[in-house]
Amino acid sequence: MKLSLSLPVALLTAALLGAAQSTHAQSSTEFSWSHLPTAQQPTFKADTFNITRYGAKPDGLTLNTQSINAAIADCSSKGGGVVLVPQGLWLTGPVELKSNVNLHLVRAAVLQFSADFNQYPLVLGSYEGQPSYRNQSPLSGTGLENVAITGHGIVDGNGDAWRMVGRDKLTEREWKSKVASGGSVSEDGKVWYPSEKSRLGAKTPNASAPGRTKAEYEAVKDYLRPNMVVLTSCKKVLLQDVTFQNSPAWCLHPIMCQDLTVRNALVRNPDYAQNGDGLDIESCRNVLVEGSTFDVGDDGICIKSGKDEEGRKRGIPTENALIRNNVVYRAHGGFVIGSEMSGGARNLFVENCTFMGTDIGLRFKTARGRGGVVENIHVRNIAMKDIVHDAILFDMYYFMKPPAKLADGQAAPESVPAVTEATPRFQNFTIRNVVCDGAERGIFLRGLPEMSVRQISLDHLVLKVNKGVELIEAQDIRISNLRLETKAAAPVVYVENSRNISFDGMQVNAPTNQALFSVSGNRTEKITAARTEAGKGRTPIEAKAGASVKALKVKS
């Protein structure tokens, strides 16, 4: 038999319609740094429901699933209040939140989710922007209002029990410990899997896609890792002070929520945690993320809105968000938009954040087929240290192969698709006051031939990097007051098939045996440079691959 989708889809459709209607009323609101988005806060009665009253035991052996859920249900049925988790180690299976409930973990309380996969039934949810069967999330809630997880305790998803890991990600001692714990090793000896079901799932294309039989899902069940905290179509949500760690897949995943606050949270995952994102905000409206710290295995703070056609059908952008005073350590990106952004994103404000050792600092990624408009994104006062790759990246070729280069350096001819609803757009970004001490490259912008990255303003940047600036298929870009220190034997600024690019007030400290500007491609035009200090003895411009030196005008 095939698992029925009718009831989950009907509920999801109703939630989407309601969210879309409420979103429409807010879409025309004008936001600015002097008029920032806000999120309404939940309120709770003072009544307290201690989980020990419902039979919970902190011995690390008793499975407290029924006791904790009973406390939450009783609290909600009596008008709400605080469900108290005292200090101790509380072993549990999936916990389902209810409206008007604040699940409060005191300091040194550990909500430890079980490593027994049988505790987590298969459910239809959403993963990476599309409907997907997964194991039930450790902490979840759907269609709730006034809901919170607070306190200085710890929520641990037991992710190491779920996730596969490559031998090259571990020390030899750690690898031997993994293998000795059980599970299964790949034929080439390079990957450890928690079980044979997990290994089979890794080999099965689209293992979680809807439409398979129950037996087919059960055969790969252990591979279908859940996101740890999933809140769907909820209003007035608060996640505050808690340590969220060791998630099987994504850690925090609010989807289609309204009035979401994440405050002073600590989100932790091992650096090898596959899909170990910190916070994925998907199709949410009115969001505040502040004072939080992320140290994870994938993107740190990430904005999403559905993937490809399914995301466009949903049509709910993530909008009206303020993200401030956060620190991101290890992560694939510090602040990220995409790549699943098919419903769009707009009116996002990011300020006073620091990224330490992330792969990329500001990371905006998409690809052909996604669609979606990402616009009105404003970023200021960002500090970065020891970034592995790019300090600032816009890339519309995410997980795509860009056009090959011919012998003369020109992009090889390719069939350029027509612009449709499946064409993504990045437009109207302002990024100001960024300091980066250490990165492979300072700025990288790459659009599509059919749709440039456009209307990007970068102002007051100090970048100490190996390579400077690279702009490909970009349009209407303004870079001003840039102090750039580079080491690589390469042109400081490379521009390919781009137009209407202006540099104003650029100070450069770089090897003098390379050109300041290198322009490439016969569609490169209308580049201006004013008040540029490049040092003596440097070639101002080189042109190749069909470009002309006349594409650049230097103004005094």
Side-chain angles (χ1 to χ4, degrees):
M1 62 173 284
K2 290 188 176 181
L3 295 183
S4 172
L5 306 187
S6 57
L7 181 58
V9 169
L11 292 173
L12 186 59
T13 300
L16 294 177
L17 289 174
Q21 290 170 354
S22 62
T23 296
H24 179 73
Q26 296 290 327
S27 60
S28 61
T29 303
E30 291 291 335
F31 292 102
S32 67
W33 285 114
S34 58
H35 179 212
L36 291 168
T38 60
Q40 294 185 50
Q41 303 294 295
T43 57
F44 302 96
K45 293 170 62 177
D47 297 0
T48 300
F49 299 74
N50 192 314
I51 62 172
T52 59
R53 289 169 43 196
Y54 299 82
K57 297 179 180 180
D59 56 15
L61 298 174
T62 302
L63 193 64
N64 294 298
T65 313
Q66 291 185 352
S67 299
I68 296 172
N69 281 308
I72 291 172
D74 193 28
C75 175
S76 181
S77 70
K78 294 177 178 176
V82 178
V83 171
L84 183 67
V85 181
Q87 184 276 332
L89 181 62
W90 306 92
L91 182 66
T92 182
V95 171
E96 297 183 15
L97 298 171
K98 302 290 184 183
S99 292
N100 301 311
V101 172
N102 175 8
L103 181 63
H104 185 81
L105 288 76
V106 304
R107 182 167 181 81
V110 180
L111 197 61
Q112 177 66 67
F113 286 95
S114 173
D116 178 4
F117 299 163
N118 294 322
Q119 299 299 317
Y120 305 86
L122 286 170
V123 296
L124 179 63
S126 176
Y127 186 67
E128 293 190 336
Q130 295 187 324
S132 171
Y133 273 101
R134 319 294 296 176
N135 286 276
Q136 182 176 350
S137 292
L139 260 171
S140 64
T142 300
L144 309 180
E145 186 164 356
N146 285 317
V147 61
I149 307 171
T150 65
H152 293 276
I154 299 166
V155 174
D156 190 302
N158 221 330
D160 277 330
W162 288 90
R163 69 175 78 92
M164 66 192 74
V165 63
R167 185 170 187 166
D168 61 343
K169 301 294 185 181
L170 304 176
T171 66
E172 190 62 24
R173 182 177 180 180
E174 289 170 335
W175 174 257
K176 289 180 179 179
S177 177
K178 276 288 185 188
V179 173
S181 71
S184 176
V185 177
S186 61
E187 294 177 358
D188 61 7
K190 294 182 178 180
V191 180
W192 176 86
Y193 297 93
S195 68
E196 278 298 315
K197 286 186 176 183
S198 177
R199 190 170 72 89
L200 179 60
K203 292 183 175 181
T204 304
N206 302 314
S208 63
R212 297 178 182 272
T213 66
K214 182 177 182 180
E216 286 175 319
Y217 290 120
E218 287 293 342
V220 298
K221 180 179 182 296
D222 300 353
Y223 175 74
L224 306 177
R225 295 172 292 134
N227 295 336
M228 190 171 79
V229 179
V230 177
L231 297 168
T232 305
S233 301
C234 297
K235 297 180 179 179
K236 296 183 182 178
V237 176
L238 174 64
L239 306 177
Q240 180 169 304
D241 296 329
V242 179
T243 295
F244 298 96
Q245 66 179 34
N246 203 13
S247 57
W250 295 352
C251 198
L252 306 179
H253 183 203
I255 174 171
M256 298 179 297
C257 290
Q258 178 178 330
D259 295 309
L260 165 71
T261 300
V262 180
R263 178 181 293 122
N264 300 335
L266 172 59
V267 182
R268 302 172 63 238
N269 266 329
D271 60 355
Y272 58 80
Q274 186 182 39
N275 311 114
D277 296 36
L279 171 62
D280 291 284
I281 303 167
E282 181 172 349
S283 295
C284 294
R285 179 165 62 94
N286 303 341
V287 177
L288 173 62
V289 180
E290 64 179 355
S292 296
T293 301
F294 301 83
D295 191 350
V296 295
D298 208 306
D299 289 328
I301 304 169
C302 191
I303 303 298
K304 298 181 182 292
S305 60
K307 185 177 180 181
D308 299 343
E309 185 177 1
E310 289 292 337
R312 297 194 297 274
K313 284 181 180 178
R314 180 196 298 170
I316 302 176
T318 290
E319 63 179 344
N320 312 342
L322 174 58
I323 297 168
R324 64 188 179 192
N325 304 325
N326 302 292
V327 176
V328 182
Y329 289 96
R330 294 171 304 179
H332 289 184
F335 174 72
V336 183
I337 301 177
S339 72
E340 305 92 358
M341 38 62 69
S342 302
R346 62 192 177 209
N347 304 331
L348 309 182
F349 293 79
V350 183
E351 67 172 342
N352 303 330
C353 292
T354 295
F355 309 140
M356 304 284 288
T358 60
D359 289 356
I360 298 168
L362 296 168
R363 186 186 194 196
F364 310 117
K365 53 182 178 175
T366 187
R368 282 189 181 121
R370 290 285 193 267
V373 179
V374 178
E375 63 183 349
N376 304 335
I377 313 299
H378 307 286
V379 182
R380 69 181 184 184
N381 304 337
I382 304 297
M384 306 184 198
K385 173 71 174 171
D386 298 331
I387 304 303
V388 178
H389 300 301
D390 299 284
I392 300 171
L393 175 140
F394 291 75
D395 194 4
M396 301 180 83
Y397 276 93
Y398 182 69
F399 267 81
M400 291 173 56
K401 187 176 181 180
K405 295 294 181 66
L406 301 176
D408 64 357
Q410 292 200 59
E414 66 170 334
S415 178
V416 178
V419 174
T420 68
E421 65 175 6
T423 306
R425 298 171 186 258
F426 282 153
Q427 61 192 39
N428 192 24
F429 284 63
T430 63
I431 300 173
R432 180 181 175 86
N433 292 342
V434 175
V435 174
C436 177
D437 182 4
E440 175 59 25
R441 182 167 48 194
I443 302 169
F444 180 70
L445 276 64
R446 179 167 61 187
L448 299 168
E450 69 272 22
M451 182 58 63
S452 302
V453 175
R454 59 184 62 198
Q455 298 170 359
I456 311 296
S457 175
L458 301 155
D459 186 22
H460 283 91
L461 314 178
V462 180
L463 307 177
K464 185 178 180 181
V465 295
N466 188 39
K467 298 178 183 178
V469 178
E470 190 168 341
L471 310 178
I472 303 171
E473 300 290 356
Q475 177 181 340
D476 302 325
I477 311 297
R478 182 176 182 270
I479 300 177
S480 55
N481 302 305
L482 169 63
R483 292 178 58 188
L484 189 60
E485 181 175 315
T486 67
K487 298 178 181 179
V492 177
V493 177
Y494 174 79
V495 181
E496 177 182 322
N497 286 328
S498 300
R499 61 190 182 276
N500 296 334
I501 313 294
S502 72
F503 297 86
D504 186 5
M506 185 166 66
Q507 300 178 44
V508 175
N509 181 6
T512 57
N513 60 343
Q514 297 292 323
L516 179 59
F517 289 92
S518 176
V519 295
S520 177
N522 56 19
R523 291 185 286 110
T524 294
E525 62 177 351
K526 297 181 179 178
I527 305 170
T528 62
R531 299 187 301 125
T532 298
E533 299 178 14
K536 296 180 179 179
R538 183 188 303 279
T539 302
I541 181 173
E542 66 177 23
K544 59 183 182 179
S548 168
V549 293
K550 295 180 180 179
L552 173 69
K553 290 186 177 181
V554 179
K555 301 178 181 180
S556 58

